[in-house]
Amino acid sequence: PAEKVAAEPFSSRYNFDSFIVGNNNRLAFAAAEIVADKPGEAYNPLFIYGGVGLGKTHLMHAIATEILRRDPRKNIIYTSCETFTSEFIQALQSKTINDFKKKYRSVDVFLVDDIQFLANKEGTQEEFFHTFNILHQANRQIVVTADRMPKEISDLEDRLVSRFGWGMVADIQAPNFENRVAILQAKAEKQNLKVPQEALEYIAKTITTNVRELEGSLIKLVGAAAIEGVAITPAFTERTLKDLARSGGSNKTTKQIIRAVTEHFNIETADIMGQKRTKDLVYPRQIVMYLLRELLHQSYPQIGDALGGKDHTTIMHGVNKIAGELKHNTAVEADIKAIKLALN
């Protein structure tokens, strides 16, 4: 039997029971449960994509925890794409590539976070491709996460994109208001925190795109009330969260981003939302698309709706255009930096 691989520790709090299921993540959750029940037999690979802080890593840990609970002998590796890449480079430099291959190609379950970081890394993509094939042919379970669907990851080889589509591709969207309240209620109950319902609802209205920020704000609110020795009233909640929003600078809204862009380029909101395709309007419009994607992790249809019903392909093109320009165009980089600064 293969030598037991020392996996990164799996957090027992990231299990299926502690994952709040809603319409935004139901498919990904169901697929993860099936994979944990029958690793290597169904949905191989499982590809989960979505924005930062929405639960992708939670589901990965839950899969690993459940598989090990059922069979502690299973060899499982959970790694980030960046760790895989750095280990591969180190193995090449130290001439230990065979040890590297043995480590990754002998596992029962291979979990890789943030696969989008394989983009532009030809050598690592080649190695990952062969590792994927060997594991897949041996019916070893592969689970991959990314911030976007496979075909949207630029500079990723077609053969890898194709393989990621062999099993199940499931997305996780930002939770709606009711789900956000449920997440906060579950967090409060688990940690025996006494928080009024109005405070939970205020947090859920204030933070809309990131579950981690949602839970973090709850803990900060309770901590601030304990330090100040006061009750958690609606007024105290509002004051505390406004301070948090100012210091964190991450709780942006679609309107705020559109306003920051229009002010930067000295144009009207109606111009951004409209259909005119003159160069002086197309570029700011694409900047908005890019920032809604990067800062709020919105899906292409969500961005299209926010910009007056523009179609999915137009949004995808706009986001990719700005992302491409950022690599070599200092003027675009300066515009983005100035707008982000204005947002803070």
Side-chain angles (χ1 to χ4, degrees), residues 60-90:
M60 276 199 157
H61 279 260
I63 289 168
T65 301
E66 183 60 20
I67 290 173
L68 286 175
R69 187 186 70 78
R70 296 179 183 214
D71 186 354
R73 297 167 301 175
K74 289 285 189 187
N75 294 337
I76 300 178
I77 279 188
Y78 163 76
T79 187
S80 69
C81 185
E82 289 174 308
T83 299
F84 182 86
T85 301
S86 63
E87 282 187 23
F88 175 60
I89 294 168
Q90 181 63 37

Side-chain angles (χ1 to χ4, degrees), residues 176-245:
N176 62 23
F177 173 74
E178 289 77 12
N179 281 355
R180 296 196 297 274
V181 172
I183 289 165
L184 290 167
Q185 285 172 333
K187 182 83 172 175
E189 284 171 18
K190 189 162 187 182
Q191 301 202 9
N192 293 318
L193 303 174
K194 296 282 188 269
V195 185
Q197 184 69 15
E198 314 92 80
L200 298 180
E201 290 181 4
Y202 186 89
I203 296 171
K205 284 175 188 168
T206 306
I207 297 169
T208 60
T209 60
N210 188 312
V211 173
R212 260 181 243 145
E213 279 188 21
L214 202 63
E215 295 180 340
S217 294
L218 175 65
I219 299 303
K220 287 172 185 173
L221 176 66
V222 173
I227 289 168
E228 293 188 33
V230 299
I232 300 175
T233 63
F236 177 79
T237 302
E238 187 173 347
R239 173 165 64 83
T240 304
L241 282 183
K242 274 184 179 172
D243 291 343
L244 288 172

